Amino acid sequence: MPAAGIIAKNLRDAEFDGGVYLDAGAGAELFVKGAQGAAEGAHMVFPRVLAIGDVTSGSESVRNQKEWVARYTDTYQDYSGFASVGADAARMLRNAIAKSGGTDGPELRDTIETIGFDGVSGPIRNSAKEHSGLRPESLGVLVVRDGDWHLPN
């Protein structure tokens, strides 16, 4: 995580004027804080929940995402993009244990491969071939503006 901020600062100091595109490892608030002003204009593909304040849909899943982020922020005073991934993993495991009736490894794996739900990160639909389960519509190209991640205009 610290490397992304250092790289952004080094690019700024070298007067690089091209686009900066980061991997999901920069999805925490630590990148923006660590890079300071050098983060401005950087892009990253990540679940859109990281920029939930810009999402205008009034759907139930978006309302649930906004409520979850608000509760998280109220509790921890900041929001990490990785928090939604952890919350979805915990929910997935809880659902799989309840559905399978236990924690037997192979049975739990088989059950996880059938789970689908609207998570904090977005819709998740697992299968035997798709273990991430996070649907493409959950993702967006985000940009740092005014020290925070936003959807591009």
Side-chain angles (χ1 to χ4, degrees), residues 15 125 143:
E15 299 180 12
R125 306 292 181 267
V143 61

Side-chain angles (χ1 to χ4, degrees), residues 59-116:
S59 72
E60 181 179 355
S61 61
V62 169
R63 284 194 310 272
N64 291 340
Q65 286 175 315
K66 287 184 178 192
E67 289 172 14
W68 190 90
V69 169
R71 285 193 317 269
Y72 184 96
T73 304
D74 285 348
T75 302
Y76 300 105
Q77 288 68 55
D78 210 346
Y79 182 68
S80 170
F82 300 122
S84 64
V85 177
D88 290 340
R91 180 175 173 193
M92 186 182 310
L93 189 56
R94 182 196 69 203
N95 292 353
I97 290 169
K99 186 175 180 182
S100 70
T103 58
D104 174 69
E107 190 170 337
L108 196 55
R109 180 208 54 229
D110 291 346
T111 303
I112 287 172
E113 290 177 345
T114 67
I115 287 181

